[in-house]
Every structure is written in structure tokens, then in C-alpha cells.
Amino acid sequence: MKAVCWHGTNDVRVETVPDPKILNPRDAIIKITSTAICGSDLHIYDGFIPTMEKGDILGHEFMGEVVDLGSAVKNVKIGDRVVVPFTISCGNCFFCNRDLWSLCDNSNPNAWMAEKMMGHSPSGLFGYSHLFGGYAGGQAEYARVPFADVGLFKIPEGLADEQVLFLTDIFPTGYMAAENCQIEPGDTVAIWGCGPVGQFAIKSAYLLGADRVIAIDRIPERLQMAKEQGNAEIINYEEVDAGEALKEMTGGRGPDACLDAVGMEAHGTGLDALYDKAKQAVRLETDRPTALRQVIVACRKGGRVSLAGVYGGFLDKVPMGAAFNKGLSFKMGQTHVHRYLKPLLEHIQNGKIDPSFVITHKMNLEDAPKGYEIFKNKKDNCIKVVLKP
């Protein structure tokens, strides 16, 4: 089959690789009909995720048709159309039984690697390094899905791939991030980052009852989408100081909740951004937490901070004194995708949201290297790339 394979920083290639096979009775094989490039994939593309090996198959947002099943998989049948959560979960462990699917204890065969770095291991992830299990990803013609009796989610007829593809990751991720803001009636929510996850966080904040959403970014087409599609007020942080603008827009108090949808590769205009780039260049810092710093300083006293952007390692100059003395609450983590599949599908079916609004580019799988390049460099007004095998 054809698959998108990693070969190093800024180097992905479409290659012919062996077809996946059933390895366990709980496996399924999916013929992929749609897959996508995620902002989290850019962390791999840019060389910031360790334990990648040449030839690893990328991709964790994918859906398709069941073409083979292990003997223990009874919840779907061959021919069913399904989406696949990017988090791999066993369904039986302490954490899965508590609806904490991305913390599954049994799906990462390389848990010892993650434990060395983080103390405990999260779940396995598709196409996201050997630190998270070394599973082949879904930017390919076919994929093996372990724990398919738990992970596969059947899609009803009448919905296009583009409407449901993002149930695999970015729609639940944006929704959980907004949910983590613990939104109350009348709240103002500020969201850093208007990429695909940020766009879904904006929509989700309103679904959950926010009165105002203020979106912060520097890319004009992203800000335009946030304003026109998401009904958000917008701040271009290259034109004004975001912190000062938020004070002015909230009567000096600050937003009730602040959401970081940027993560470890944040850009910025201040001295702290230059500091991060310099330290990262000489490997003295793993992440650039510019957005996180701004979120903490901007949030009102007693407010809530939600982190959806991925952080991978160790951060420097994070204003924990401000967080402590303002009494901020933090919630974060990989998305518990399985928890949100049914309710978010209902939102799609009821017409409350059409997730396809974020798609700006559709390409053939063979064009994936070009897709990565324009997505990373924000060329051609690119916000979201969908690949068709």
C-alpha cells in the first residue's frame, strides 16, 4: 500500500509499504477513505517529538471502511463505515472504566519510555512516535486498528466524510478544551490560536454557553475564519499587545477562562519569544511556551485555564507565581475522544455544527509532502488539509 512515511525533520515521503495484517483477535483493518494532516503532526515534521524512526507511518486523523476483523470484534462488521479515535484505548483498565480514555494503561507497549520522561504513560497514539507505542498511522491506504471492539465508531448513512472525519481528533479536542474552561452563563472566554483546534474550541465554547469568545492569532485568514465562522471577537497579536487588549475588552478584569490551543511551538513578538528560540536552538529547552505565559497573565483572578495545545517536555520562565496568587485552575491533557463521539455526532446530525468548515485544501495522498509544506508555512491560506487515498 501507499503510506506517508517520516524520514527526518521536514522530510516526509509517500512510499510503498507492506499492507497491515490482523495481529490480535481484537484488531480490525480499515480501508481509509479520508485522512488529514493535524497541527500535532507538525511537531513531528519539525523534529520536536523524540523516538521517531525512519519509515514510520504518520497520521492520526482517519476514517474508512472495515475490510477485515479479528475474531473478538463483534461491534462492527465488514463493510461498515467508521471513524477511528486517535487515542488507542483498551476499554477495560482503571482509566478507561472512568471515561479517561487517553490515559489507558494497556495500549502503549512502550510505556516504559513514557514513564522515564513523564512518570506515567498515557495511552498509545496512532502515528505518533515510539514513545506512544510505535503504531502505524492512518495517512495511508489501509490501517490496523487495535482494540477495534472499543475504538471503532460506526457512522450512520447520509453524512459525508468531511462532516465526520474530525470526530477522530480536532472536534473532540476543541470541545474538551472548551469543556475544561468550566463555562458559566455570561462568561468571556479567550482562545489563543485559531488553527483547526482553536476554531473548534471557539464553536464549542458557544455550544457550552459562553457569552463572548475572543480569539488571538497572527494569521489573517485564521482570524477571519474565527470571526466569520465562529462569531468571535479577534485580536492580531502582531498589531496590538494581546494582554492589554484583553484588559480593555473586559473592563480591566481579564477573561473568565483562557484556552491555549497553540502549545509547544508558539510564536511571539516579545523578548520571551526570542529567549525561547535561542534556548531551543541549543537544546536547553524543549518547548516554546509563549502562549501559556500570556494565558496565565491574562486570565482573571479565580479564572480557569485550559490547555489543548500539545506540550512535550520541560518549560522555562512559566509565571507560576501569577497562577498561584491569582488562584487559577488548570485542566489539560490528551483528549478522551471516545467520551465525545456520540454527543458530538448528534450535534452534527442536528445541524448545530458542520465540521467541514475548517477544510481549505483537499489533496491526493501522493501530494502529502506538499500538504505538509503548505500547512506548516501557512501558504495559500491553508488552515486544514484533507488527504484522499
Side-chain angles (χ1 to χ4, degrees), residues 209-280:
D211 185 56
R212 298 171 69 193
V213 177
I214 304 170
I216 301 105
D217 206 299
R218 66 189 174 99
I219 307 298
E221 56 269 21
R222 292 185 172 194
L223 289 166
Q224 183 179 359
M225 181 178 281
K227 182 178 181 180
E228 294 180 356
Q229 296 284 347
N231 196 34
E233 301 166 60
I234 58 174
I235 296 171
N236 186 328
Y237 69 78
E238 289 189 334
E239 297 177 355
V240 299
D241 181 278
E244 291 302 315
L246 285 166
K247 279 185 180 179
E248 185 175 337
M249 295 167 79
T250 58
R253 188 171 61 200
D256 301 289
C258 290
L259 193 160
D260 173 0
V262 181
M264 66 190 293
E265 290 188 74
H267 296 271
T269 57
L271 288 175
D272 68 318
L274 295 174
Y275 171 88
D276 286 336
K277 284 192 174 182
K279 288 203 73 173
Q280 198 177 59

Side-chain angles (χ1 to χ4, degrees), residues 162 356 359-364 367 384-388:
E162 289 79 7
S356 66
I359 301 171
T360 54
H361 290 69
K362 296 179 184 179
M363 298 181 175
N364 293 324
D367 297 321
K384 186 67 175 179
V385 179
V386 170
L387 303 172
K388 295 286 188 177

Side-chain angles (χ1 to χ4, degrees), residues 59-106:
H60 58 269
E61 293 181 321
F62 61 97
M63 64 173 294
E65 179 185 330
V66 178
V67 294
D68 199 5
L69 288 173
S71 59
V73 183
K74 306 297 183 184
N75 57 312
V76 295
K77 63 183 184 300
I78 290 174
D80 280 349
R81 189 161 158 255
V82 294
V83 296
V84 185
F86 81 95
T87 50
I88 302 170
S89 309
C90 75
N92 299 317
C93 70
F94 176 93
F95 297 99
C96 289
N97 284 330
R98 284 159 179 77
D99 227 14
L100 301 172
W101 302 90
S102 71
L103 303 177
C104 176
D105 252 348
N106 294 325

